[in-house]
Every structure is written in structure tokens, then in C-alpha cells.
Coordinates of all heavy atoms in Angstrom, one line a residue:
M1 N -6.5 13.3 8.0 CA -7.3 13.9 6.9 C -7.6 12.8 5.9 O -8.6 13.0 5.2 CB -6.4 15.0 6.3 CG -7.2 15.8 5.3 SD -6.3 17.3 4.9 CE -7.0 17.7 3.4
D2 N -6.9 11.8 5.8 CA -7.1 10.7 4.9 C -7.8 9.6 5.6 O -7.8 9.5 6.8 CB -5.8 10.2 4.3 CG -6.0 9.4 3.0 OD1 -7.2 9.3 2.5 OD2 -5.0 8.8 2.5
N3 N -8.5 8.7 4.8 CA -9.1 7.5 5.4 C -8.1 6.5 6.0 O -7.1 6.3 5.3 CB -9.9 6.8 4.3 CG -11.0 7.6 3.8 OD1 -11.7 8.4 4.5 ND2 -11.3 7.5 2.5
P4 N -8.2 6.0 7.2 CA -7.2 5.1 7.7 C -7.3 3.7 7.1 O -6.3 3.0 7.1 CB -7.6 5.0 9.2 CG -9.0 5.4 9.3 CD -9.3 6.3 8.1
E5 N -8.4 3.3 6.5 CA -8.6 1.9 6.0 C -7.6 1.6 4.9 O -6.9 0.5 4.9 CB -10.0 1.7 5.5 CG -11.0 1.6 6.6 CD -11.6 3.0 7.0 OE1 -11.1 4.0 6.4 OE2 -12.5 3.0 7.8
P6 N -7.3 2.5 3.9 CA -6.3 2.2 2.9 C -4.9 2.0 3.4 O -4.2 1.1 3.0 CB -6.4 3.4 1.9 CG -7.7 3.9 2.1 CD -8.1 3.7 3.6
H7 N -4.6 2.8 4.5 CA -3.3 2.7 5.0 C -3.1 1.4 5.8 O -2.0 0.7 5.8 CB -3.0 3.9 5.9 CG -3.0 5.2 5.2 ND1 -2.0 5.6 4.4 CD2 -4.0 6.1 5.1 CE1 -2.3 6.7 3.8 NE2 -3.5 7.1 4.2
R8 N -4.2 1.0 6.5 CA -4.1 -0.3 7.2 C -4.0 -1.5 6.2 O -3.3 -2.4 6.5 CB -5.4 -0.5 8.1 CG -5.4 0.4 9.3 CD -6.6 0.0 10.2 NE -6.9 1.1 11.1 CZ -8.1 1.7 11.2 NH1 -9.1 1.2 10.5 NH2 -8.3 2.7 12.0
F9 N -4.7 -1.4 5.1 CA -4.7 -2.4 4.1 C -3.2 -2.5 3.5 O -2.7 -3.6 3.4 CB -5.6 -2.1 3.0 CG -5.5 -3.0 1.8 CD1 -5.9 -4.3 1.8 CD2 -4.9 -2.5 0.6 CE1 -5.8 -5.1 0.6 CE2 -4.7 -3.3 -0.5 CZ -5.2 -4.6 -0.5
S10 N -2.6 -1.3 3.3 CA -1.3 -1.3 2.7 C -0.3 -1.9 3.7 O 0.6 -2.6 3.3 CB -0.9 0.2 2.4 OG 0.4 0.3 1.9
Q11 N -0.4 -1.5 5.0 CA 0.5 -2.1 6.0 C 0.4 -3.6 6.1 O 1.3 -4.3 6.2 CB 0.3 -1.4 7.3 CG 0.7 0.0 7.4 CD 0.3 0.7 8.6 OE1 -0.4 0.2 9.4 NE2 0.8 2.0 8.8
G12 N -0.9 -4.1 6.1 CA -1.1 -5.5 6.2 C -0.6 -6.2 5.0 O 0.0 -7.3 5.1
L13 N -0.8 -5.6 3.8 CA -0.2 -6.2 2.6 C 1.3 -6.3 2.6 O 1.9 -7.3 2.2 CB -0.7 -5.5 1.4 CG -0.5 -6.1 0.0 CD1 -1.2 -7.4 -0.1 CD2 -1.0 -5.1 -1.1
G14 N 1.9 -5.2 3.1 CA 3.4 -5.2 3.3 C 3.8 -6.3 4.2 O 4.8 -7.0 4.0
G15 N 3.1 -6.5 5.3 CA 3.4 -7.5 6.3 C 3.3 -8.9 5.7 O 4.1 -9.8 6.0
V16 N 2.3 -9.1 4.9 CA 2.1 -10.4 4.2 C 3.3 -10.7 3.3 O 3.8 -11.8 3.2 CB 0.7 -10.5 3.5 CG1 0.7 -11.7 2.6 CG2 -0.4 -10.5 4.5
F17 N 3.6 -9.7 2.5 CA 4.8 -9.9 1.6 C 6.1 -10.1 2.3 O 6.9 -10.9 1.9 CB 4.9 -8.6 0.7 CG 4.0 -8.7 -0.6 CD1 2.6 -8.8 -0.4 CD2 4.6 -8.7 -1.8 CE1 1.8 -8.9 -1.5 CE2 3.8 -8.8 -2.9 CZ 2.4 -8.9 -2.8
M18 N 6.3 -9.4 3.5 CA 7.5 -9.6 4.3 C 7.5 -11.0 4.8 O 8.5 -11.7 4.9 CB 7.6 -8.6 5.4 CG 8.0 -7.2 4.9 SD 9.6 -7.1 4.1 CE 10.6 -7.1 5.6
L19 N 6.3 -11.5 5.3 CA 6.2 -12.9 5.8 C 6.5 -13.9 4.7 O 7.3 -14.8 4.9 CB 4.9 -13.1 6.5 CG 4.6 -14.5 7.0 CD1 5.6 -14.8 8.1 CD2 3.2 -14.6 7.4
A20 N 5.9 -13.6 3.6 CA 6.2 -14.6 2.4 C 7.6 -14.6 2.0 O 8.2 -15.6 1.8 CB 5.3 -14.2 1.2
G21 N 8.3 -13.4 2.1 CA 9.7 -13.3 1.7 C 10.5 -14.0 2.8 O 11.5 -14.7 2.4
S22 N 10.2 -13.9 4.0 CA 10.9 -14.5 5.1 C 10.8 -16.1 5.0 O 11.8 -16.8 5.1 CB 10.4 -14.1 6.5 OG 10.7 -12.7 6.6
L23 N 9.6 -16.5 4.7 CA 9.4 -18.0 4.6 C 10.1 -18.5 3.3 O 10.6 -19.6 3.4 CB 7.9 -18.3 4.5 CG 7.1 -18.0 5.7 CD1 5.6 -18.2 5.5 CD2 7.5 -19.0 6.8
A24 N 10.1 -17.7 2.3 CA 10.8 -18.2 1.1 C 12.3 -18.3 1.3 O 13.0 -19.2 0.9 CB 10.6 -17.2 -0.1
L25 N 12.9 -17.3 2.1 CA 14.3 -17.4 2.4 C 14.6 -18.6 3.3 O 15.6 -19.3 3.2 CB 14.7 -16.1 3.2 CG 14.9 -14.8 2.3 CD1 15.0 -13.6 3.1 CD2 16.1 -15.0 1.3
W26 N 13.7 -18.8 4.3 CA 13.9 -19.9 5.2 C 13.8 -21.3 4.4 O 14.5 -22.2 4.8 CB 12.8 -19.9 6.3 CG 12.9 -21.0 7.3 CD1 13.8 -21.2 8.3 CD2 12.0 -22.2 7.3 NE1 13.5 -22.3 8.9 CE2 12.4 -23.0 8.4 CE3 10.9 -22.6 6.6 CZ2 11.8 -24.1 8.7 CZ3 10.3 -23.8 6.9 CH2 10.8 -24.5 7.9
A27 N 12.9 -21.3 3.4 CA 12.8 -22.6 2.6 C 13.9 -22.7 1.6 O 13.9 -23.8 0.9 CB 11.4 -22.6 2.0
G28 N 14.7 -21.8 1.4 CA 15.8 -21.9 0.5 C 15.6 -21.3 -0.9 O 16.4 -21.4 -1.8
Y29 N 14.5 -20.5 -1.0 CA 14.3 -19.8 -2.3 C 14.8 -18.4 -2.2 O 14.0 -17.4 -2.0 CB 12.8 -19.8 -2.6 CG 12.2 -21.2 -2.8 CD1 11.5 -21.8 -1.8 CD2 12.5 -21.9 -4.0 CE1 11.0 -23.1 -2.0 CE2 12.0 -23.2 -4.2 CZ 11.2 -23.8 -3.2 OH 10.8 -25.1 -3.4
A30 N 16.1 -18.2 -2.3 CA 16.7 -16.9 -2.0 C 16.3 -15.8 -3.0 O 16.0 -14.7 -2.5 CB 18.2 -17.1 -2.0
A31 N 16.2 -16.1 -4.2 CA 15.8 -15.1 -5.2 C 14.4 -14.6 -5.0 O 14.1 -13.4 -5.0 CB 15.9 -15.6 -6.6
L32 N 13.5 -15.5 -4.7 CA 12.1 -15.1 -4.4 C 12.0 -14.3 -3.1 O 11.4 -13.3 -3.0 CB 11.2 -16.3 -4.4 CG 9.7 -16.1 -4.0 CD1 9.0 -15.2 -5.0 CD2 9.0 -17.4 -3.8
G33 N 12.7 -14.8 -2.1 CA 12.6 -14.2 -0.8 C 13.2 -12.8 -0.8 O 12.5 -11.8 -0.3
W34 N 14.4 -12.6 -1.4 CA 15.0 -11.3 -1.4 C 14.2 -10.4 -2.4 O 14.1 -9.2 -2.1 CB 16.4 -11.4 -1.9 CG 17.3 -11.8 -0.8 CD1 18.0 -13.0 -0.7 CD2 17.5 -11.1 0.5 NE1 18.7 -13.0 0.5 CE2 18.4 -11.9 1.2 CE3 17.1 -9.9 1.0 CZ2 18.8 -11.5 2.5 CZ3 17.5 -9.6 2.3 CH2 18.4 -10.4 3.0
G35 N 13.6 -10.9 -3.4 CA 12.8 -10.1 -4.3 C 11.6 -9.5 -3.6 O 11.3 -8.3 -3.8
L36 N 10.9 -10.3 -2.8 CA 9.7 -9.9 -2.0 C 10.2 -8.8 -1.0 O 9.5 -7.8 -0.8 CB 9.0 -11.0 -1.4 CG 8.2 -11.9 -2.4 CD1 7.7 -13.2 -1.6 CD2 7.1 -11.2 -3.0
V37 N 11.2 -9.1 -0.3 CA 11.7 -8.2 0.7 C 12.1 -6.8 0.1 O 11.7 -5.8 0.6 CB 12.9 -8.8 1.5 CG1 13.6 -7.8 2.4 CG2 12.4 -10.0 2.4
W38 N 12.8 -6.8 -1.0 CA 13.2 -5.6 -1.6 C 12.1 -4.9 -2.3 O 12.1 -3.6 -2.3 CB 14.4 -5.8 -2.7 CG 15.7 -6.0 -2.0 CD1 16.4 -7.1 -1.8 CD2 16.4 -4.9 -1.3 NE1 17.6 -6.8 -1.1 CE2 17.6 -5.5 -0.8 CE3 16.2 -3.6 -1.2 CZ2 18.5 -4.8 -0.1 CZ3 17.2 -2.8 -0.5 CH2 18.3 -3.4 0.0
L39 N 11.1 -5.6 -2.7 CA 9.9 -5.0 -3.3 C 9.2 -4.1 -2.2 O 8.8 -3.0 -2.4 CB 8.9 -6.0 -3.8 CG 7.6 -5.5 -4.3 CD1 7.7 -4.6 -5.5 CD2 6.6 -6.6 -4.6
V40 N 9.0 -4.7 -1.0 CA 8.4 -4.0 0.1 C 9.3 -2.8 0.5 O 8.7 -1.7 0.7 CB 8.2 -4.9 1.3 CG1 7.8 -4.1 2.6 CG2 7.2 -6.0 1.0
A41 N 10.6 -3.0 0.5 CA 11.5 -1.8 0.9 C 11.4 -0.7 -0.1 O 11.3 0.5 0.2 CB 12.9 -2.3 1.0
A42 N 11.3 -1.1 -1.4 CA 11.2 0.0 -2.5 C 9.9 0.7 -2.4 O 9.8 1.9 -2.6 CB 11.4 -0.7 -3.9
L43 N 8.8 0.0 -2.2 CA 7.5 0.6 -2.1 C 7.4 1.5 -0.8 O 6.7 2.5 -0.9 CB 6.4 -0.4 -2.2 CG 6.2 -1.2 -3.5 CD1 5.2 -2.2 -3.4 CD2 6.0 -0.2 -4.6
A44 N 8.0 1.1 0.3 CA 8.0 1.9 1.5 C 8.8 3.2 1.2 O 8.4 4.2 1.7 CB 8.6 1.1 2.6
A45 N 9.9 3.1 0.5 CA 10.7 4.2 0.2 C 9.9 5.2 -0.7 O 10.0 6.4 -0.6 CB 12.0 3.8 -0.4
L46 N 9.2 4.6 -1.7 CA 8.4 5.5 -2.6 C 7.3 6.2 -1.8 O 7.1 7.4 -2.0 CB 7.7 4.6 -3.6 CG 6.8 5.3 -4.6 CD1 7.5 6.3 -5.5 CD2 6.1 4.2 -5.5
N47 N 6.7 5.6 -0.8 CA 5.8 6.2 0.1 C 6.4 7.3 0.9 O 5.9 8.4 1.1 CB 5.1 5.2 1.0 CG 3.9 5.8 1.7 OD1 3.4 6.9 1.4 ND2 3.4 5.1 2.7
A48 N 7.6 7.0 1.5 CA 8.2 7.9 2.4 C 8.8 9.1 1.7 O 8.7 10.2 2.2 CB 9.4 7.2 3.2
F49 N 9.4 8.9 0.6 CA 10.1 10.0 -0.1 C 9.3 10.6 -1.3 O 9.6 11.8 -1.6 CB 11.5 9.5 -0.7 CG 12.4 9.0 0.4 CD1 12.8 7.7 0.4 CD2 12.8 9.9 1.4 CE1 13.6 7.2 1.5 CE2 13.6 9.4 2.4 CZ 14.1 8.1 2.4
G50 N 8.4 9.9 -1.8 CA 7.6 10.4 -2.9 C 6.2 10.7 -2.6 O 5.5 11.3 -3.4
G51 N 5.7 10.3 -1.4 CA 4.3 10.6 -1.0 C 3.3 9.8 -1.8 O 2.1 10.1 -1.8
F52 N 3.7 8.7 -2.4 CA 2.8 7.8 -3.2 C 2.7 6.5 -2.5 O 3.7 5.8 -2.4 CB 3.3 7.7 -4.6 CG 2.4 6.8 -5.5 CD1 1.1 7.2 -5.9 CD2 2.8 5.5 -5.9 CE1 0.3 6.4 -6.6 CE2 2.0 4.7 -6.6 CZ 0.7 5.2 -7.0
C53 N 1.5 6.1 -2.1 CA 1.2 4.8 -1.4 C 0.6 3.9 -2.4 O -0.6 4.0 -2.8 CB 0.3 5.1 -0.2 SG -0.1 3.6 0.6
V54 N 1.4 2.9 -2.9 CA 0.9 1.9 -3.8 C -0.2 1.1 -3.2 O -1.2 0.8 -3.9 CB 2.0 1.1 -4.4 CG1 1.5 0.0 -5.3 CG2 3.1 1.9 -5.1
G55 N -0.1 0.7 -2.0 CA -1.2 -0.1 -1.3 C -2.5 0.7 -1.2 O -3.6 0.1 -1.4
C56 N -2.4 2.0 -1.0 CA -3.6 2.8 -0.9 C -4.2 2.9 -2.3 O -5.4 2.8 -2.4 CB -3.3 4.2 -0.4 SG -2.6 4.2 1.3
A57 N -3.4 3.1 -3.3 CA -3.9 3.1 -4.7 C -4.6 1.8 -5.0 O -5.7 1.8 -5.7 CB -2.8 3.5 -5.6
L58 N -4.0 0.7 -4.6 CA -4.6 -0.6 -4.9 C -5.9 -0.7 -4.1 O -6.9 -1.2 -4.7 CB -3.6 -1.7 -4.4 CG -4.1 -3.1 -4.6 CD1 -4.3 -3.4 -6.0 CD2 -3.1 -4.1 -4.0
Y59 N -6.0 -0.2 -2.9 CA -7.3 -0.3 -2.1 C -8.4 0.5 -2.9 O -9.5 0.0 -3.1 CB -7.0 0.4 -0.7 CG -8.3 0.4 0.1 CD1 -8.5 -0.6 1.0 CD2 -9.2 1.4 0.0 CE1 -9.7 -0.6 1.8 CE2 -10.3 1.5 0.8 CZ -10.5 0.4 1.7 OH -11.7 0.4 2.5
Y60 N -8.1 1.7 -3.3 CA -9.1 2.5 -4.0 C -9.4 1.9 -5.3 O -10.6 2.0 -5.8 CB -8.6 3.9 -4.2 CG -8.5 4.7 -2.8 CD1 -7.4 5.5 -2.5 CD2 -9.6 4.7 -2.0 CE1 -7.4 6.2 -1.3 CE2 -9.6 5.4 -0.8 CZ -8.5 6.2 -0.5 OH -8.4 6.8 0.7
W61 N -8.5 1.3 -6.0 CA -8.7 0.6 -7.3 C -9.7 -0.6 -7.1 O -10.6 -0.8 -7.9 CB -7.4 0.2 -7.9 CG -7.5 -0.5 -9.2 CD1 -7.9 0.1 -10.4 CD2 -7.2 -1.9 -9.5 NE1 -7.8 -0.8 -11.4 CE2 -7.4 -2.0 -10.9 CE3 -6.8 -2.9 -8.8 CZ2 -7.3 -3.3 -11.5 CZ3 -6.6 -4.1 -9.4 CH2 -6.8 -4.3 -10.7
L62 N -9.4 -1.4 -6.0 CA -10.4 -2.5 -5.7 C -11.7 -2.0 -5.4 O -12.7 -2.6 -5.7 CB -9.8 -3.3 -4.6 CG -8.5 -4.1 -4.9 CD1 -7.9 -4.7 -3.7 CD2 -8.8 -5.2 -6.0
G63 N -11.8 -0.8 -4.7 CA -13.1 -0.2 -4.4 C -13.8 0.2 -5.7 O -15.1 0.0 -5.8
R64 N -13.1 0.7 -6.7 CA -13.8 1.1 -7.9 C -14.2 -0.1 -8.7 O -15.2 0.0 -9.5 CB -12.8 1.9 -8.8 CG -12.5 3.3 -8.2 CD -11.7 4.1 -9.1 NE -12.5 4.6 -10.1 CZ -12.1 5.2 -11.2 NH1 -10.8 5.3 -11.4 NH2 -12.9 5.7 -12.1
L65 N -13.6 -1.3 -8.5 CA -14.1 -2.5 -9.1 C -15.2 -3.2 -8.3 O -15.6 -4.3 -8.7 CB -12.9 -3.5 -9.3 CG -11.8 -3.1 -10.2 CD1 -10.6 -4.0 -10.2 CD2 -12.4 -3.0 -11.6
S66 N -15.7 -2.5 -7.3 CA -16.8 -3.0 -6.4 C -16.4 -4.4 -5.7 O -17.3 -5.2 -5.6 CB -18.0 -3.2 -7.2 OG -18.4 -1.9 -7.8
V67 N -15.2 -4.5 -5.3 CA -14.8 -5.7 -4.6 C -15.3 -5.5 -3.1 O -15.1 -4.5 -2.5 CB -13.3 -5.9 -4.6 CG1 -12.8 -7.1 -3.7 CG2 -12.7 -6.1 -6.0
P68 N -16.0 -6.5 -2.6 CA -16.6 -6.4 -1.3 C -15.5 -6.1 -0.2 O -14.4 -6.7 -0.2 CB -17.2 -7.7 -1.0 CG -17.5 -8.3 -2.3 CD -16.4 -7.8 -3.2
G69 N -15.8 -5.1 0.7 CA -14.8 -4.8 1.8 C -14.0 -3.6 1.4 O -13.4 -3.0 2.3
F70 N -14.0 -3.2 0.2 CA -13.2 -2.0 -0.2 C -14.2 -0.9 -0.6 O -14.5 -0.7 -1.8 CB -12.3 -2.3 -1.4 CG -11.3 -3.4 -1.1 CD1 -11.6 -4.7 -1.3 CD2 -10.1 -3.0 -0.5 CE1 -10.6 -5.7 -0.9 CE2 -9.2 -4.0 -0.1 CZ -9.4 -5.3 -0.4
H71 N -14.7 -0.2 0.3 CA -15.8 0.7 0.1 C -15.5 2.2 0.2 O -16.3 3.1 -0.1 CB -17.0 0.4 1.0 CG -16.7 0.5 2.4 ND1 -16.1 -0.6 3.1 CD2 -16.9 1.4 3.4 CE1 -15.9 -0.3 4.3 NE2 -16.3 0.9 4.5
K72 N -14.4 2.5 0.8 CA -14.0 3.9 1.0 C -13.6 4.6 -0.3 O -13.0 3.9 -1.2 CB -12.9 4.1 2.0 CG -13.2 3.7 3.4 CD -14.1 4.7 4.0 CE -14.4 4.3 5.5 NZ -15.1 5.4 6.2
S73 N -13.8 5.9 -0.4 CA -13.3 6.6 -1.6 C -12.3 7.7 -1.1 O -12.3 8.0 0.1 CB -14.5 7.4 -2.2 OG -15.4 6.5 -2.7
P74 N -11.5 8.1 -2.0 CA -10.5 9.1 -1.6 C -11.2 10.4 -1.1 O -12.3 10.7 -1.5 CB -9.7 9.4 -2.9 CG -10.0 8.3 -3.8 CD -11.3 7.8 -3.4
P75 N -10.6 11.2 -0.2 CA -11.2 12.4 0.3 C -11.4 13.4 -0.9 O -10.7 13.4 -1.9 CB -10.2 13.0 1.3 CG -9.3 11.8 1.6 CD -9.3 10.9 0.4
A76 N -12.4 14.2 -0.7 CA -12.7 15.2 -1.7 C -11.5 16.2 -1.9 O -10.9 16.6 -0.9 CB -14.0 16.0 -1.4
G77 N -11.2 16.5 -3.1 CA -10.1 17.4 -3.4 C -8.7 16.8 -3.4 O -7.8 17.5 -3.6
A78 N -8.7 15.5 -3.2 CA -7.3 14.8 -3.2 C -6.9 14.6 -4.6 O -7.6 14.3 -5.5 CB -7.4 13.5 -2.5
F79 N -5.6 14.9 -4.8 CA -5.0 14.6 -6.1 C -4.9 13.1 -6.3 O -4.5 12.4 -5.4 CB -3.6 15.3 -6.2 CG -3.0 15.2 -7.5 CD1 -3.4 16.0 -8.5 CD2 -1.9 14.4 -7.8 CE1 -2.8 16.0 -9.8 CE2 -1.3 14.3 -9.0 CZ -1.8 15.1 -10.0
P80 N -5.3 12.6 -7.5 CA -5.4 11.2 -7.7 C -4.0 10.5 -7.4 O -3.0 10.9 -7.8 CB -5.7 11.0 -9.2 CG -6.4 12.3 -9.5 CD -5.8 13.3 -8.6
R81 N -4.1 9.5 -6.5 CA -2.9 8.6 -6.2 C -1.9 9.3 -5.4 O -0.7 8.9 -5.3 CB -2.4 8.0 -7.4 CG -3.3 7.0 -8.1 CD -2.7 6.3 -9.2 NE -2.6 7.1 -10.4 CZ -3.6 7.3 -11.2 NH1 -4.8 6.8 -11.0 NH2 -3.4 8.0 -12.3
H82 N -2.2 10.4 -4.7 CA -1.2 11.1 -3.9 C -1.9 11.4 -2.5 O -3.1 11.5 -2.4 CB -0.7 12.4 -4.5 CG 0.3 12.2 -5.5 ND1 0.0 11.6 -6.7 CD2 1.6 12.5 -5.6 CE1 1.1 11.6 -7.5 NE2 2.1 12.1 -6.8
A83 N -1.1 11.5 -1.5 CA -1.6 11.8 -0.1 C -2.2 13.1 -0.1 O -1.7 14.1 -0.7 CB -0.5 11.7 0.9
P84 N -3.4 13.3 0.5 CA -4.0 14.6 0.6 C -3.1 15.6 1.4 O -2.5 15.2 2.3 CB -5.3 14.4 1.3 CG -5.2 13.0 2.0 CD -4.1 12.3 1.2
Q85 N -3.2 16.8 1.0 CA -2.4 17.9 1.6 C -3.2 18.5 2.7 O -4.4 18.7 2.6 CB -1.9 18.9 0.6 CG -1.1 18.3 -0.5 CD 0.2 17.7 0.0 OE1 0.9 18.2 0.8 NE2 0.6 16.5 -0.5
A86 N -2.5 19.0 3.8 CA -3.2 19.7 4.9 C -3.6 21.1 4.4 O -2.9 21.7 3.5 CB -2.3 19.8 6.1
A87 N -4.7 21.6 4.8 CA -5.2 22.9 4.5 C -4.2 23.9 5.0 O -3.5 23.7 6.0 CB -6.6 23.2 5.0
A88 N -4.1 25.1 4.4 CA -3.1 26.1 4.8 C -3.2 26.5 6.2 O -2.2 26.7 6.9 CB -3.3 27.3 3.9
G89 N -4.4 26.6 6.8 CA -4.6 27.1 8.2 C -4.7 25.9 9.2 O -5.1 26.2 10.3
A90 N -4.5 24.7 8.7 CA -4.7 23.5 9.6 C -3.5 23.2 10.5 O -3.5 22.2 11.2 CB -5.0 22.3 8.8
L91 N -2.5 24.0 10.5 CA -1.3 23.8 11.3 C -1.6 24.2 12.7 O -1.5 23.9 13.7 CB -0.1 24.5 10.8 CG 0.3 24.0 9.4 CD1 1.5 24.9 8.9 CD2 0.8 22.6 9.4

């Protein structure tokens, strides 16, 4: 029911942060590495348990700023910054 592009962007951004955290840990920057890894874990938990996708909100925010490549808008009737709910008879 939602656009797939914001979710792909969010997953890619999480992957980049995990890679950066792993490289920081490998290079000996433990505080930076663990900070990035725990940031991704906290944001994933917020999405899983709270239904709020920070990466999706960032995607739509970049779209409102007219950044090239970020052209999708949230679905009609979606509550701002929350995942759209399925219609009552859509089960």
C-alpha cells in the first residue's frame, strides 16, 4: 500500500551506516563504530515496534526540498510520518 522507494532508500542508508560502522571498528575507532551500529539498531527497533520509519521520513523530506531522485509523495490519507494502515476490508 505504501511506495517501495522510501523503504529501499531506508534499507540502503542503513546498510551504508552498518558498513561505515564495521569499517570504523576494523580501523580501531570503537566509539564511532559502535555508535553507528547502535544507531541503526535503535532506528530499526523504532520502525519495528513503533511503526515509524526515519529513513522513509527522510526520503519524503528530501522530496519536499526538491532534491533530484526523491520524487515520490506519501500515499493519500497517510498519517504524517507513519506507515499507512490497511483498509478495513483489505484483509
Side-chain angles (χ1 to χ4, degrees):
M1 187 165 160
D2 196 5
N3 298 322
E5 291 86 355
H7 299 284
R8 288 188 200 125
F9 171 76
S10 182
Q11 290 172 351
L13 192 59
V16 167
F17 274 61
M18 289 296 285
L19 178 64
S22 298
L23 291 174
L25 286 168
W26 180 75
Y29 298 103
L32 176 63
W34 283 115
L36 290 171
V37 168
W38 280 107
L39 176 67
V40 172
L43 293 178
L46 178 63
N47 188 14
F49 299 117
F52 179 71
C53 177
V54 174
C56 298
L58 179 62
Y59 179 93
Y60 290 132
W61 182 68
L62 291 171
R64 293 185 77 193
L65 291 175
S66 301
V67 175
F70 299 91
H71 57 278
K72 293 287 185 173
S73 297
F79 187 72
R81 294 184 282 281
H82 282 68
Q85 301 297 317
L91 297 175

